[in-house]
Amino acid sequence: MRLAVRGKIIAIALFHEWSLVGGYFPGHKHFIHETDAVTQQDYEMAEFVSSIWDEDDHPLEYGNIVLFDRLSIVEPMPIIWPTLQAGIDRQFAENASVMVLKAFPLEFEGYIVVEPGADVTDPPELARRRTAMKRLYRRQLEMSGGTGDESWMWRVMRGPAPESF
Protein backbone atom coordinates (compact mmCIF):
# COMPACT_ATOMS: atom_id res chain seq x y z
CA MET A 1 0.00 0.00 0.00
CA ARG A 2 1.45 3.37 -1.00
CA LEU A 3 0.27 6.60 0.53
CA ALA A 4 0.91 9.71 -1.53
CA VAL A 5 0.21 13.42 -1.29
CA ARG A 6 0.16 15.39 -4.55
CA GLY A 7 1.90 12.51 -6.30
CA LYS A 8 4.71 12.24 -3.74
CA ILE A 9 4.92 8.97 -1.77
CA ILE A 10 4.94 9.67 1.97
CA ALA A 11 4.57 6.10 3.31
CA ILE A 12 4.68 2.49 2.15
CA ALA A 13 3.04 -0.42 3.98
CA LEU A 14 3.60 -4.10 3.19
CA PHE A 15 1.06 -6.79 4.05
CA HIS A 16 0.92 -10.58 3.69
CA GLU A 17 -2.51 -12.21 3.62
CA TRP A 18 -3.15 -15.84 4.59
CA SER A 19 -6.36 -17.67 3.72
CA LEU A 20 -7.80 -21.19 3.73
CA VAL A 21 -8.35 -23.17 0.59
CA GLY A 22 -11.57 -25.12 0.75
CA GLY A 23 -12.62 -23.67 4.12
CA TYR A 24 -11.00 -26.41 6.21
CA PHE A 25 -8.40 -25.50 8.85
CA PRO A 26 -5.88 -28.39 8.98
CA GLY A 27 -4.44 -27.44 12.37
CA HIS A 28 -1.73 -25.33 13.99
CA LYS A 29 1.19 -27.54 12.93
CA HIS A 30 0.24 -27.43 9.26
CA PHE A 31 -0.32 -23.66 9.34
CA ILE A 32 3.06 -23.06 11.01
CA HIS A 33 4.78 -25.40 8.55
CA GLU A 34 3.26 -23.60 5.53
CA THR A 35 4.26 -20.16 6.78
CA ASP A 36 7.79 -21.32 7.50
CA ALA A 37 8.27 -21.85 3.75
CA VAL A 38 7.55 -18.15 3.07
CA THR A 39 9.39 -15.85 5.51
CA GLN A 40 10.66 -15.83 9.08
CA GLN A 41 8.13 -13.10 9.89
CA ASP A 42 5.22 -15.23 8.58
CA TYR A 43 6.50 -18.21 10.57
CA GLU A 44 6.74 -16.17 13.79
CA MET A 45 3.25 -14.76 13.14
CA ALA A 46 1.82 -18.28 12.75
CA GLU A 47 3.48 -19.41 15.97
CA PHE A 48 2.09 -16.37 17.79
CA VAL A 49 -1.45 -16.77 16.42
CA SER A 50 -1.38 -20.49 17.16
CA SER A 51 -0.24 -19.82 20.72
CA ILE A 52 -3.14 -17.54 21.65
CA TRP A 53 -6.07 -18.85 19.58
CA ASP A 54 -7.50 -22.29 20.16
CA GLU A 55 -7.14 -24.74 17.28
CA ASP A 56 -10.92 -25.31 17.30
CA ASP A 57 -11.64 -21.57 16.98
CA HIS A 58 -8.73 -20.40 14.79
CA PRO A 59 -8.97 -17.00 13.04
CA LEU A 60 -8.58 -18.66 9.61
CA GLU A 61 -11.99 -20.27 10.15
CA TYR A 62 -13.54 -16.77 10.16
CA GLY A 63 -11.54 -15.14 7.37
CA ASN A 64 -8.04 -14.28 6.28
CA ILE A 65 -5.14 -13.42 8.54
CA VAL A 66 -3.44 -10.19 7.50
CA LEU A 67 0.16 -9.77 8.57
CA PHE A 68 1.09 -6.10 8.61
CA ASP A 69 4.72 -6.78 7.78
CA ARG A 70 6.24 -3.31 7.73
CA LEU A 71 5.57 0.38 7.49
CA SER A 72 8.09 2.82 6.12
CA ILE A 73 7.22 6.48 6.60
CA VAL A 74 9.23 8.52 4.13
CA GLU A 75 7.82 11.88 5.15
CA PRO A 76 5.92 12.11 8.48
CA MET A 77 2.55 13.83 8.13
CA PRO A 78 -0.57 13.77 10.31
CA ILE A 79 -2.66 12.41 7.44
CA ILE A 80 -0.73 9.13 7.30
CA TRP A 81 -2.50 7.29 10.13
CA PRO A 82 -6.13 8.02 9.22
CA THR A 83 -5.37 7.31 5.55
CA LEU A 84 -3.60 4.08 6.42
CA GLN A 85 -6.49 2.99 8.68
CA ALA A 86 -9.01 3.75 5.92
CA GLY A 87 -6.91 1.82 3.39
CA ILE A 88 -6.63 -1.19 5.69
CA ASP A 89 -10.39 -1.18 6.29
CA ARG A 90 -11.17 -0.80 2.59
CA GLN A 91 -8.73 -3.52 1.51
CA PHE A 92 -9.17 -6.14 4.23
CA ALA A 93 -12.40 -5.61 6.22
CA GLU A 94 -14.56 -7.77 3.94
CA ASN A 95 -12.40 -10.91 4.06
CA ALA A 96 -10.10 -10.63 7.08
CA SER A 97 -10.64 -12.12 10.52
CA VAL A 98 -7.59 -10.60 12.19
CA MET A 99 -4.71 -8.27 11.44
CA VAL A 100 -1.43 -9.08 13.19
CA LEU A 101 1.76 -7.06 13.47
CA LYS A 102 5.00 -7.12 15.37
CA ALA A 103 5.97 -3.80 16.91
CA PHE A 104 9.59 -3.59 15.86
CA PRO A 105 11.45 -0.44 14.85
CA LEU A 106 13.00 -1.00 11.42
CA GLU A 107 16.14 0.92 12.35
CA PHE A 108 17.11 -2.09 14.52
CA GLU A 109 16.52 -4.65 11.79
CA GLY A 110 19.64 -6.73 11.29
CA TYR A 111 21.15 -5.45 14.57
CA ILE A 112 24.35 -7.41 15.10
CA VAL A 113 26.83 -7.29 17.96
CA VAL A 114 30.23 -6.96 16.29
CA GLU A 115 32.50 -7.45 19.31
CA PRO A 116 33.10 -11.08 20.32
CA GLY A 117 31.97 -11.74 23.87
CA ALA A 118 29.92 -8.53 23.99
CA ASP A 119 26.52 -8.41 25.67
CA VAL A 120 24.00 -9.60 23.07
CA THR A 121 20.91 -8.24 24.82
CA ASP A 122 18.80 -5.70 23.03
CA PRO A 123 20.06 -2.13 23.33
CA PRO A 124 17.97 0.06 25.69
CA GLU A 125 16.91 2.28 22.79
CA LEU A 126 15.20 -0.72 21.18
CA ALA A 127 13.01 -1.32 24.23
CA ARG A 128 12.03 2.36 24.39
CA ARG A 129 11.21 2.51 20.66
CA ARG A 130 9.24 -0.74 20.81
CA THR A 131 7.18 0.53 23.77
CA ALA A 132 6.46 3.78 21.93
CA MET A 133 5.44 1.87 18.80
CA LYS A 134 3.03 -0.31 20.76
CA ARG A 135 1.36 2.80 22.20
CA LEU A 136 1.14 4.30 18.72
CA TYR A 137 -0.35 1.15 17.17
CA ARG A 138 -2.93 0.87 19.97
CA ARG A 139 -3.97 4.48 19.43
CA GLN A 140 -3.77 4.76 15.64
CA LEU A 141 -4.65 1.25 14.44
CA GLU A 142 -6.75 0.00 17.39
CA MET A 143 -4.38 -2.92 18.01
CA SER A 144 -4.52 -5.14 21.11
CA GLY A 145 -1.79 -7.12 22.85
CA GLY A 146 1.85 -6.20 23.00
CA THR A 147 1.96 -6.36 26.78
CA GLY A 148 5.26 -6.53 28.62
CA ASP A 149 8.09 -7.73 26.41
CA GLU A 150 5.67 -9.21 23.87
CA SER A 151 5.89 -7.36 20.57
CA TRP A 152 3.06 -9.10 18.72
CA MET A 153 -0.23 -7.24 18.48
CA TRP A 154 -3.57 -7.99 16.82
CA ARG A 155 -6.86 -6.45 15.80
CA VAL A 156 -9.84 -8.76 15.46
CA MET A 157 -11.97 -7.83 12.45
CA ARG A 158 -14.27 -10.88 12.45
CA GLY A 159 -14.53 -13.81 14.82
CA PRO A 160 -13.57 -14.30 18.44
CA ALA A 161 -10.79 -12.57 20.35
CA PRO A 162 -8.13 -14.89 21.74
CA GLU A 163 -9.16 -16.55 25.00
CA SER A 164 -5.75 -16.26 26.65
CA PHE A 165 -5.90 -12.45 26.73
Side-chain angles (χ1 to χ4, degrees):
M1 186 179 297
R2 293 183 196 107
L3 284 68
V5 172
R6 292 183 279 290
K8 183 179 178 184
I9 293 176
I10 59 171
I12 299 171
L14 177 64
F15 301 88
H16 299 191
E17 193 168 10
W18 287 88
S19 63
L20 290 181
V21 176
Y24 169 73
F25 179 64
H28 289 310
K29 287 183 181 180
H30 182 77
F31 177 50
I32 292 168
H33 175 73
E34 290 300 313
T35 59
D36 190 27
V38 180
T39 68
Q40 181 68 25
Q41 186 81 341
D42 288 283
Y43 169 75
E44 290 175 11
M45 174 277 301
E47 282 199 323
F48 168 71
V49 168
S50 296
S51 74
I52 67 169
W53 269 278
D54 188 55
E55 195 164 59
D56 296 329
D57 215 15
H58 197 274
L60 281 172
E61 295 178 355
Y62 296 89
N64 300 345
I65 295 175
V66 176
L67 171 61
F68 189 161
D69 187 34
R70 61 184 54 231
L71 174 63
S72 178
I73 299 176
V74 180
E75 187 173 329
M77 298 178 116
I79 196 165
I80 289 174
W81 293 104
T83 305
L84 181 62
Q85 179 72 18
I88 289 169
D89 290 344
R90 185 176 59 247
Q91 182 66 32
F92 301 116
E94 187 174 322
N95 296 317
S97 63
V98 67
M99 181 172 70
V100 181
L101 64 78
K102 185 174 188 177
F104 189 85
L106 294 179
E107 64 264 27
F108 290 94
E109 193 170 55
Y111 174 77
I112 299 172
V113 177
V114 293
E115 298 175 25
D119 182 9
V120 294
T121 58
D122 292 336
E125 314 85 65
L126 173 59
R128 285 192 294 275
R129 286 281 294 124
R130 188 181 292 152
T131 299
M133 289 180 81
K134 290 188 278 190
R135 278 193 312 266
L136 180 69
Y137 292 149
R138 278 187 200 97
R139 188 176 68 247
Q140 297 292 353
L141 298 177
E142 302 171 1
M143 302 300 287
S144 298
T147 57
D149 290 338
E150 180 61 58
S151 294
W152 284 101
M153 302 178 81
W154 70 89
R155 183 175 112 196
V156 174
M157 300 166 119
R158 178 183 303 114
E163 291 184 16
S164 58
F165 283 86

